Each structure stands twice: as structure tokens, then as C-alpha cells.
């Protein structure tokens, strides 16, 4: 895959990959020539305003027949992948943006700075319905259902679509876009996803999920779980291994891409 990503970058194409819907890092995502998209949990208020945004790493607590069960991130809550590569060293575009504390890894008993993942993020649960048809034990088709969850496989095309919007009308392609994204880190082009803390209002720390036709028990979705048995990733101010440099800030993101590319290209 590395050879394909290098060729794409040389031809002016960005290869976007989902960070995955479980904690951890794959070799494909750790490729320094890949644009890797993680996930966030976005809280939207009654006035359709942004109430909070944090890393997508949800612990699921289930209540069934009076018994409470902690299913964890991998057991049903879900969360974006990420971490530090032990194959690829830190690329130049991440220097000065990714803290050393988030890039350290052990290779052959030596501490080195590796390629950190993801690069950018988007909310993987909001705004789209995914349809599927049930099958019974004999393989016969059943009812058609829709659910509003799609994971980082949704977050990735959302980011790619915004980049395509910014590309419209430009005379030259962005090419491999990671260097430009990291030059725009800590600017208004991005929203910084912040961790859930004890000062966060209780109503913003978790969500009640009522039983429905896809679930027979009531659940509580606890946001931004940081349990070591589940994940070694963290959500933090600035770059982090849950959400990268942040989420695109709509029109400001598109405008910043256009200005940044124009300036860098000397146009």
C-alpha cells in the first residue's frame, strides 16, 4: 500500500483512510503518505449549535433484567483508531505540531518519534442513515432497517468532500494534503476536540440509549472513555491520537485551504 500512496502523492492525489472503529493502529493507517481520518463525538444543542466535541471513544454500559454490564469501548461503545507507528518515523509535516509525548515509541529497545495517527477527524455518527436488510438463520431476507451510525468510514468521505469543495475552481490540485493541513493546525480552520473532564456538565458526559428494535436493553453511552484496558489513545488540547489536529471548521476550513495552497504555491 505504501508504494500506491507514494505514487498517488507524486501524481497530486491524496489517499484518505478511515482510522477504524476500534482502538489501535494498523500499518496501512500509519503510512506517512496517507491522510487518516479519526472520529469525534459531537453534541448539538436545541438551536443546532455546537455544545461540545470530544474524541470518539465511547464506553457502553448495558442494563438488562436489573443487571448492569460494562461492555467497554470494543464491546459495543465504539471508538476511532489511532496511535504511534513502530514502522514509520515521524514525518516532517508533524514536527512542531505533534507533541513528543504523543509520538514516542519503542523500536529495538530504543525510544524514537514515530508517525502519529490520525491526522484529522469528523463526527462519524451524525447526519446520515445507513440502510440494511435483515436475514434470518436460513439466509432469507427480512425487514429493511435504517441506523444512523457509520463509523470512521463516514467521517472519511465527509472530510474528503470538504477538500473537494475547496478544490473547486482551482487551477492546480492540492496533491498530498497533509503538509498543508498541519501548517493550518491551531488556526480557525479547525475545531479542537477537547476531553471530557469533571468540570463538564453531567448531561454532556453520556447519553441514554433507549431500547428499540435493534436492542433489547437500555444502554448508557459514556463519552471519551480513556480506560487503559480499552485504549492507550487520549483526547487532549491540540494534537491528540483520537482526533488528530481537529475537525474541519466548515467554510473557514475551505477558505483556509484555498489561501494556504495559493500562498504556498506562490500563485
Amino acid at each position: 500500500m505504501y508504494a500506491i500512496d507514494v505514487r498517488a502523492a507524486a501524481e497530486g492525489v491524496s489517499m484518505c483512510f478511515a482510522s477504524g472503529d476500534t482502538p489501535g493502529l494498523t500499518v496501512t493507517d500509519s503510512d506517512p503518505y496517507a491522510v487518516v481520518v479519526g472520529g469525534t463525538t459531537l453534541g448539538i444543542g436545541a438551536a443546532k449549535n455546537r455544545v461540545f466535541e470530544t474524541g470518539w471513544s465511547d464506553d457502553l454500559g448495558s442494563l438488562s433484567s436489573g443487571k448492569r454490564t460494562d461492555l467497554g469501548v470494543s464491546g459495543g461503545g465504539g471508538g476511532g483508531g489511532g496511535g504511534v507507528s513502530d514502522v514509520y518515523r515521524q514525518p516532517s509535516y508533524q514536527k512542531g505540531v505533534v507533541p513528543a509525548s504523543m509520538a514516542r515509541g519503542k523500536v529495538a529497545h530504543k525510544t524514537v518519534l514515530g508517525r502519529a495517527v490520525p491526522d484529522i477527524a469528523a463526527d462519524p455518527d451524525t447526519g446520515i442513515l445507513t440502510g440494511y436488510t435483515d436475514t434470518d438463520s436460513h439466509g432469507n431476507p427480512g425487514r429493511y432497517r435504517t441506523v444512523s451510525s457509520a463509523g470512521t468510514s463516514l467521517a472519511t468521505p465527509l472530510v474528503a468532500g470538504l477538500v473537494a469543495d475547496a478544490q473547486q475552481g482551482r487551477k492546480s490540485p492540492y496533491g498530498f494534503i497533509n503538509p498543508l493541513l498541519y501548517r493550518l493546525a491551531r488556526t480557525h480552520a479547525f475545531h479542537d476536540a477537547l476531553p471530557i473532564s469533571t468540570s463538564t456538565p453531567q448531561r454532556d458526559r453520556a447519553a441514554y440509549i433507549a431500547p428499540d428494535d435493534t436492542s433489547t436493553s437500555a444502554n448508557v453511552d459514556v463519552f471519551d472513555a480513556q480506560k487503559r484496558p480499552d485504549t492507550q489513545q487520549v483526547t487532549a488540547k491540540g494534537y491528540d491520537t483520537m482526533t488528530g489536529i481537529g475537525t474541519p471548521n466548515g467554510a473557514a476550513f475551505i477558505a483556509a485551504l484555498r489561501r494556504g495552497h495559493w500562498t504556498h504555491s506562490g500563485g
Side-chain angles (χ1 to χ4, degrees), residues 96-177:
V97 178
V98 178
S101 60
M102 296 223 180
R104 291 194 188 102
K106 288 282 189 180
V107 177
H109 305 293
K110 293 182 179 179
T111 299
V112 299
L113 297 183
R115 193 281 202 254
V117 173
D119 299 303
I120 191 172
D123 181 6
D125 288 328
T126 304
I128 191 172
L129 288 177
T130 301
Y132 67 96
T133 301
D134 280 338
T135 56
D136 62 22
S137 58
H138 301 289
N140 300 313
R143 287 193 302 162
Y144 175 79
R145 303 173 186 262
T146 58
V147 294
S148 59
S149 176
T152 52
S153 294
L154 165 61
T156 303
L158 288 177
V159 169
L162 285 171
V163 175
D165 286 342
Q167 179 70 69
Q168 295 299 309
R170 315 306 289 174
K171 293 181 179 180
S172 59
Y174 290 122
F176 177 52
I177 204 169

Side-chain angles (χ1 to χ4, degrees), residues 1-225:
M1 196 67 210
Y2 175 81
I4 296 175
D5 290 344
V6 171
R7 178 173 178 175
E11 294 179 354
V13 177
S14 283
M15 300 288 281
C16 296
F17 292 86
S19 69
D21 299 344
T22 55
L25 179 63
T26 66
V27 174
T28 301
D29 282 342
S30 69
D31 188 337
Y33 285 98
V35 182
V36 184
V37 184
T40 66
T41 297
L42 175 64
I44 301 175
K48 297 184 179 180
N49 56 313
R50 182 187 299 266
V51 177
F52 70 92
E53 188 167 23
T54 190
W56 180 41
S57 181
D58 298 351
D59 189 357
L60 191 68
S62 177
L63 176 61
S64 180
S65 302
K67 181 181 179 181
R68 299 180 184 273
T69 304
D70 185 353
L71 300 177
V73 176
S74 299
V84 180
S85 173
D86 58 5
V87 176
Y88 299 105
R89 297 295 185 264
Q90 184 182 70
S92 59
Y93 56 77
Q94 288 195 323
K95 293 180 179 178
V97 178
V98 178
S101 60
M102 296 223 180
R104 291 194 188 102
K106 288 282 189 180
V107 177
H109 305 293
K110 293 182 179 179
T111 299
V112 299
L113 297 183
R115 193 281 202 254
V117 173
D119 299 303
I120 191 172
D123 181 6
D125 288 328
T126 304
I128 191 172
L129 288 177
T130 301
Y132 67 96
T133 301
D134 280 338
T135 56
D136 62 22
S137 58
H138 301 289
N140 300 313
R143 287 193 302 162
Y144 175 79
R145 303 173 186 262
T146 58
V147 294
S148 59
S149 176
T152 52
S153 294
L154 165 61
T156 303
L158 288 177
V159 169
L162 285 171
V163 175
D165 286 342
Q167 179 70 69
Q168 295 299 309
R170 315 306 289 174
K171 293 181 179 180
S172 59
Y174 290 122
F176 177 52
I177 204 169
N178 272 3
L180 175 55
L181 293 179
Y182 280 86
R183 287 201 302 274
L184 295 173
R186 308 189 191 99
T187 71
H188 292 300
F190 296 97
H191 283 290
D192 189 9
L194 300 174
I196 293 291
S197 68
T198 54
S199 62
T200 304
Q202 190 68 41
R203 64 181 179 274
D204 295 342
R205 299 184 199 176
Y208 172 73
I209 305 174
D212 59 17
D213 61 352
T214 62
S215 176
T216 58
S217 63
N219 299 309
V220 175
D221 198 359
V222 181
F223 304 143
D224 198 32

